Amino acid sequence: MPLGYAGINDPKLLTCMQREVVCNPAADSGDHGPLSEPADTSRSVDQAEALAIARKMAGSSAAPGVAEKMSGSAAASLAGQSRSPEIDESRPVWVVSLDTNVLTDGSPAAAPRSVPGYSAIIDAVTGEITDECLGCRWIR
């Protein structure tokens, strides 16, 4: 998740996600940020950092979890998701799955509910969460 947002339910983030492909307050409005280019891997998020980022987003600092490093295209295939065309799929990512309950956002027709499992794809260079799933465990 880009810095500048309180969490996945932050109203500013939800509004941005309706308008933009990448919601990064540090990026210029026409710029899709560093995720659209091959990664400079001189600095990289390690496994412990990736788990900490996912735990923070899920709101569970002690949730047991697993993380595997792979290319973006391998992560998209594993998750069964198509990712933004603005992301260079050669970039290394961490796929993280947590064994925890998370609260969905709900909808006008349904109240938020607790679902088991949280998974995220985290860019291994920037630490940004690019994809996530509430109620999913992409890896075990």
Side-chain angles (χ1 to χ4, degrees):
M1 179 178 74
L3 297 177
Y5 298 109
I8 60 174
N9 295 318
D10 186 318
K12 292 188 309 183
L13 178 59
L14 296 174
T15 300
C16 178
M17 289 170 54
Q18 291 173 347
R19 292 188 328 258
E20 305 288 333
V21 174
V22 176
C23 295
N24 181 352
D28 294 331
S29 60
D31 181 12
H32 294 288
L35 300 180
S36 63
E37 300 173 4
D40 169 7
T41 56
S42 61
R43 195 291 191 201
S44 185
V45 170
D46 66 23
Q47 186 178 38
E49 289 172 303
L51 284 162
I53 290 165
R55 288 177 177 130
K56 180 178 179 182
M57 182 56 73
S60 183
S61 62
V66 293
E68 292 182 21
K69 194 172 185 178
M70 61 189 73
S71 69
S73 57
S77 178
L78 176 71
Q81 297 198 155
S82 56
R83 296 175 21 132
S84 168
E86 300 298 326
I87 297 175
D88 183 318
E89 293 296 354
S90 70
R91 294 179 69 85
V93 299
W94 286 99
V95 177
V96 179
S97 289
L98 301 177
D99 187 20
T100 188
N101 288 327
V102 291
L103 194 61
T104 65
D105 293 336
S107 71
R113 62 186 175 91
S114 180
V115 294
Y118 173 81
S119 288
I121 299 174
I122 301 170
D123 185 84
V125 176
T126 66
E128 280 189 52
I129 294 176
T130 60
D131 302 86
E132 64 184 344
C133 183
L134 307 178
C136 297
R137 288 189 188 101
W138 289 331
I139 54 175
R140 301 236 177 228

PDB file of all heavy atoms in Angstrom, residues 36-57:
ATOM      1  N   SER A  36       5.818   0.722 -13.434  1.00  0.00           N
ATOM      2  CA  SER A  36       5.680   0.511 -14.876  1.00  0.00           C
ATOM      3  C   SER A  36       7.022   0.263 -15.560  1.00  0.00           C
ATOM      4  O   SER A  36       7.071   0.047 -16.759  1.00  0.00           O
ATOM      5  CB  SER A  36       4.979   1.711 -15.519  1.00  0.00           C
ATOM      6  OG  SER A  36       5.759   2.876 -15.360  1.00  0.00           O
ATOM      7  N   GLU A  37       8.113   0.274 -14.793  1.00  0.00           N
ATOM      8  CA  GLU A  37       9.448   0.096 -15.359  1.00  0.00           C
ATOM      9  C   GLU A  37      10.138  -1.118 -14.732  1.00  0.00           C
ATOM     10  O   GLU A  37       9.786  -1.531 -13.632  1.00  0.00           O
ATOM     11  CB  GLU A  37      10.279   1.350 -15.073  1.00  0.00           C
ATOM     12  CG  GLU A  37       9.674   2.601 -15.676  1.00  0.00           C
ATOM     13  CD  GLU A  37      10.414   3.857 -15.241  1.00  0.00           C
ATOM     14  OE1 GLU A  37      11.432   3.749 -14.534  1.00  0.00           O
ATOM     15  OE2 GLU A  37       9.942   4.926 -15.608  1.00  0.00           O
ATOM     16  N   PRO A  38      11.115  -1.697 -15.424  1.00  0.00           N
ATOM     17  CA  PRO A  38      11.875  -2.793 -14.799  1.00  0.00           C
ATOM     18  C   PRO A  38      12.472  -2.338 -13.471  1.00  0.00           C
ATOM     19  O   PRO A  38      12.783  -1.160 -13.287  1.00  0.00           O
ATOM     20  CB  PRO A  38      12.966  -3.099 -15.826  1.00  0.00           C
ATOM     21  CG  PRO A  38      12.407  -2.623 -17.120  1.00  0.00           C
ATOM     22  CD  PRO A  38      11.565  -1.421 -16.780  1.00  0.00           C
ATOM     23  N   ALA A  39      12.610  -3.245 -12.553  1.00  0.00           N
ATOM     24  CA  ALA A  39      13.057  -2.912 -11.203  1.00  0.00           C
ATOM     25  C   ALA A  39      14.559  -2.731 -11.108  1.00  0.00           C
ATOM     26  O   ALA A  39      15.323  -3.465 -11.717  1.00  0.00           O
ATOM     27  CB  ALA A  39      12.624  -4.011 -10.241  1.00  0.00           C
ATOM     28  N   ASP A  40      14.970  -1.735 -10.323  1.00  0.00           N
ATOM     29  CA  ASP A  40      16.357  -1.603  -9.903  1.00  0.00           C
ATOM     30  C   ASP A  40      16.437  -2.368  -8.583  1.00  0.00           C
ATOM     31  O   ASP A  40      15.938  -1.901  -7.566  1.00  0.00           O
ATOM     32  CB  ASP A  40      16.711  -0.129  -9.701  1.00  0.00           C
ATOM     33  CG  ASP A  40      18.060   0.064  -9.019  1.00  0.00           C
ATOM     34  OD1 ASP A  40      18.787  -0.937  -8.818  1.00  0.00           O
ATOM     35  OD2 ASP A  40      18.384   1.206  -8.677  1.00  0.00           O
ATOM     36  N   THR A  41      16.994  -3.538  -8.602  1.00  0.00           N
ATOM     37  CA  THR A  41      16.959  -4.404  -7.428  1.00  0.00           C
ATOM     38  C   THR A  41      18.107  -4.169  -6.448  1.00  0.00           C
ATOM     39  O   THR A  41      18.381  -5.014  -5.602  1.00  0.00           O
ATOM     40  CB  THR A  41      16.924  -5.887  -7.863  1.00  0.00           C
ATOM     41  OG1 THR A  41      18.049  -6.133  -8.713  1.00  0.00           O
ATOM     42  CG2 THR A  41      15.635  -6.220  -8.584  1.00  0.00           C
ATOM     43  N   SER A  42      18.755  -3.011  -6.530  1.00  0.00           N
ATOM     44  CA  SER A  42      19.830  -2.730  -5.576  1.00  0.00           C
ATOM     45  C   SER A  42      19.275  -2.586  -4.159  1.00  0.00           C
ATOM     46  O   SER A  42      19.977  -2.800  -3.189  1.00  0.00           O
ATOM     47  CB  SER A  42      20.592  -1.466  -5.979  1.00  0.00           C
ATOM     48  OG  SER A  42      19.738  -0.344  -5.988  1.00  0.00           O
ATOM     49  N   ARG A  43      18.027  -2.242  -4.044  1.00  0.00           N
ATOM     50  CA  ARG A  43      17.347  -2.180  -2.741  1.00  0.00           C
ATOM     51  C   ARG A  43      16.136  -3.089  -2.863  1.00  0.00           C
ATOM     52  O   ARG A  43      15.382  -3.029  -3.828  1.00  0.00           O
ATOM     53  CB  ARG A  43      16.905  -0.749  -2.461  1.00  0.00           C
ATOM     54  CG  ARG A  43      16.496  -0.385  -1.031  1.00  0.00           C
ATOM     55  CD  ARG A  43      15.279  -0.997  -0.597  1.00  0.00           C
ATOM     56  NE  ARG A  43      14.677  -0.543   0.643  1.00  0.00           N
ATOM     57  CZ  ARG A  43      13.833  -1.323   1.284  1.00  0.00           C
ATOM     58  NH1 ARG A  43      13.557  -2.511   0.843  1.00  0.00           N
ATOM     59  NH2 ARG A  43      13.263  -0.900   2.377  1.00  0.00           N
ATOM     60  N   SER A  44      15.939  -3.974  -1.909  1.00  0.00           N
ATOM     61  CA  SER A  44      14.833  -4.912  -2.007  1.00  0.00           C
ATOM     62  C   SER A  44      14.222  -5.163  -0.634  1.00  0.00           C
ATOM     63  O   SER A  44      14.930  -5.228   0.368  1.00  0.00           O
ATOM     64  CB  SER A  44      15.335  -6.239  -2.598  1.00  0.00           C
ATOM     65  OG  SER A  44      14.276  -7.112  -2.809  1.00  0.00           O
ATOM     66  N   VAL A  45      12.898  -5.282  -0.617  1.00  0.00           N
ATOM     67  CA  VAL A  45      12.169  -5.649   0.589  1.00  0.00           C
ATOM     68  C   VAL A  45      12.477  -7.115   0.869  1.00  0.00           C
ATOM     69  O   VAL A  45      12.419  -7.944  -0.037  1.00  0.00           O
ATOM     70  CB  VAL A  45      10.654  -5.442   0.352  1.00  0.00           C
ATOM     71  CG1 VAL A  45       9.824  -6.020   1.478  1.00  0.00           C
ATOM     72  CG2 VAL A  45      10.336  -3.969   0.132  1.00  0.00           C
ATOM     73  N   ASP A  46      12.804  -7.432   2.117  1.00  0.00           N
ATOM     74  CA  ASP A  46      13.062  -8.837   2.424  1.00  0.00           C
ATOM     75  C   ASP A  46      11.770  -9.518   2.890  1.00  0.00           C
ATOM     76  O   ASP A  46      10.720  -8.886   3.011  1.00  0.00           O
ATOM     77  CB  ASP A  46      14.202  -8.997   3.432  1.00  0.00           C
ATOM     78  CG  ASP A  46      13.903  -8.455   4.823  1.00  0.00           C
ATOM     79  OD1 ASP A  46      12.717  -8.324   5.200  1.00  0.00           O
ATOM     80  OD2 ASP A  46      14.862  -8.159   5.554  1.00  0.00           O
ATOM     81  N   GLN A  47      11.873 -10.816   3.141  1.00  0.00           N
ATOM     82  CA  GLN A  47      10.685 -11.598   3.488  1.00  0.00           C
ATOM     83  C   GLN A  47      10.011 -11.077   4.761  1.00  0.00           C
ATOM     84  O   GLN A  47       8.779 -10.962   4.816  1.00  0.00           O
ATOM     85  CB  GLN A  47      11.073 -13.067   3.655  1.00  0.00           C
ATOM     86  CG  GLN A  47       9.893 -13.986   3.880  1.00  0.00           C
ATOM     87  CD  GLN A  47      10.314 -15.439   3.990  1.00  0.00           C
ATOM     88  OE1 GLN A  47      11.355 -15.749   4.562  1.00  0.00           O
ATOM     89  NE2 GLN A  47       9.506 -16.321   3.431  1.00  0.00           N
ATOM     90  N   ALA A  48      10.788 -10.754   5.771  1.00  0.00           N
ATOM     91  CA  ALA A  48      10.217 -10.258   7.028  1.00  0.00           C
ATOM     92  C   ALA A  48       9.479  -8.935   6.810  1.00  0.00           C
ATOM     93  O   ALA A  48       8.400  -8.718   7.381  1.00  0.00           O
ATOM     94  CB  ALA A  48      11.321 -10.085   8.077  1.00  0.00           C
ATOM     95  N   GLU A  49      10.052  -8.048   5.984  1.00  0.00           N
ATOM     96  CA  GLU A  49       9.386  -6.780   5.684  1.00  0.00           C
ATOM     97  C   GLU A  49       8.084  -7.012   4.923  1.00  0.00           C
ATOM     98  O   GLU A  49       7.063  -6.365   5.198  1.00  0.00           O
ATOM     99  CB  GLU A  49      10.297  -5.874   4.858  1.00  0.00           C
ATOM    100  CG  GLU A  49      11.481  -5.311   5.619  1.00  0.00           C
ATOM    101  CD  GLU A  49      12.446  -4.585   4.703  1.00  0.00           C
ATOM    102  OE1 GLU A  49      12.937  -5.198   3.733  1.00  0.00           O
ATOM    103  OE2 GLU A  49      12.693  -3.390   4.967  1.00  0.00           O
ATOM    104  N   ALA A  50       8.091  -7.941   3.966  1.00  0.00           N
ATOM    105  CA  ALA A  50       6.883  -8.240   3.194  1.00  0.00           C
ATOM    106  C   ALA A  50       5.779  -8.752   4.114  1.00  0.00           C
ATOM    107  O   ALA A  50       4.615  -8.327   4.003  1.00  0.00           O
ATOM    108  CB  ALA A  50       7.193  -9.248   2.095  1.00  0.00           C
ATOM    109  N   LEU A  51       6.122  -9.637   5.015  1.00  0.00           N
ATOM    110  CA  LEU A  51       5.129 -10.135   5.975  1.00  0.00           C
ATOM    111  C   LEU A  51       4.605  -9.010   6.862  1.00  0.00           C
ATOM    112  O   LEU A  51       3.402  -8.932   7.125  1.00  0.00           O
ATOM    113  CB  LEU A  51       5.732 -11.262   6.822  1.00  0.00           C
ATOM    114  CG  LEU A  51       5.861 -12.607   6.128  1.00  0.00           C
ATOM    115  CD1 LEU A  51       6.838 -13.511   6.857  1.00  0.00           C
ATOM    116  CD2 LEU A  51       4.497 -13.278   5.991  1.00  0.00           C
ATOM    117  N   ALA A  52       5.491  -8.118   7.297  1.00  0.00           N
ATOM    118  CA  ALA A  52       5.075  -6.999   8.146  1.00  0.00           C
ATOM    119  C   ALA A  52       4.125  -6.056   7.397  1.00  0.00           C
ATOM    120  O   ALA A  52       3.145  -5.565   7.975  1.00  0.00           O
ATOM    121  CB  ALA A  52       6.299  -6.235   8.656  1.00  0.00           C
ATOM    122  N   ILE A  53       4.393  -5.804   6.123  1.00  0.00           N
ATOM    123  CA  ILE A  53       3.527  -4.936   5.316  1.00  0.00           C
ATOM    124  C   ILE A  53       2.135  -5.560   5.208  1.00  0.00           C
ATOM    125  O   ILE A  53       1.117  -4.880   5.404  1.00  0.00           O
ATOM    126  CB  ILE A  53       4.148  -4.715   3.918  1.00  0.00           C
ATOM    127  CG1 ILE A  53       5.397  -3.845   4.022  1.00  0.00           C
ATOM    128  CG2 ILE A  53       3.127  -4.092   2.955  1.00  0.00           C
ATOM    129  CD1 ILE A  53       6.277  -3.851   2.782  1.00  0.00           C
ATOM    130  N   ALA A  54       2.077  -6.857   4.910  1.00  0.00           N
ATOM    131  CA  ALA A  54       0.780  -7.530   4.785  1.00  0.00           C
ATOM    132  C   ALA A  54       0.050  -7.562   6.126  1.00  0.00           C
ATOM    133  O   ALA A  54      -1.166  -7.336   6.181  1.00  0.00           O
ATOM    134  CB  ALA A  54       0.978  -8.943   4.245  1.00  0.00           C
ATOM    135  N   ARG A  55       0.772  -7.846   7.208  1.00  0.00           N
ATOM    136  CA  ARG A  55       0.135  -7.873   8.535  1.00  0.00           C
ATOM    137  C   ARG A  55      -0.442  -6.517   8.898  1.00  0.00           C
ATOM    138  O   ARG A  55      -1.531  -6.419   9.450  1.00  0.00           O
ATOM    139  CB  ARG A  55       1.139  -8.338   9.586  1.00  0.00           C
ATOM    140  CG  ARG A  55       1.459  -9.808   9.502  1.00  0.00           C
ATOM    141  CD  ARG A  55       2.505 -10.230  10.519  1.00  0.00           C
ATOM    142  NE  ARG A  55       2.731 -11.667  10.453  1.00  0.00           N
ATOM    143  CZ  ARG A  55       3.926 -12.225  10.365  1.00  0.00           C
ATOM    144  NH1 ARG A  55       5.025 -11.460  10.353  1.00  0.00           N
ATOM    145  NH2 ARG A  55       4.043 -13.531  10.290  1.00  0.00           N
ATOM    146  N   LYS A  56       0.284  -5.456   8.570  1.00  0.00           N
ATOM    147  CA  LYS A  56      -0.220  -4.108   8.858  1.00  0.00           C
ATOM    148  C   LYS A  56      -1.505  -3.844   8.077  1.00  0.00           C
ATOM    149  O   LYS A  56      -2.474  -3.319   8.618  1.00  0.00           O
ATOM    150  CB  LYS A  56       0.841  -3.062   8.512  1.00  0.00           C
ATOM    151  CG  LYS A  56       0.384  -1.639   8.797  1.00  0.00           C
ATOM    152  CD  LYS A  56       1.459  -0.630   8.484  1.00  0.00           C
ATOM    153  CE  LYS A  56       0.930   0.777   8.755  1.00  0.00           C
ATOM    154  NZ  LYS A  56       1.908   1.799   8.415  1.00  0.00           N
ATOM    155  N   MET A  57      -1.511  -4.209   6.799  1.00  0.00           N
ATOM    156  CA  MET A  57      -2.693  -3.979   5.982  1.00  0.00           C
ATOM    157  C   MET A  57      -3.886  -4.793   6.482  1.00  0.00           C
ATOM    158  O   MET A  57      -5.009  -4.317   6.492  1.00  0.00           O
ATOM    159  CB  MET A  57      -2.392  -4.319   4.521  1.00  0.00           C
ATOM    160  CG  MET A  57      -3.564  -4.061   3.602  1.00  0.00           C
ATOM    161  SD  MET A  57      -4.187  -2.371   3.653  1.00  0.00           S
ATOM    162  CE  MET A  57      -2.914  -1.538   2.785  1.00  0.00           C
TER     163      MET A  57
END
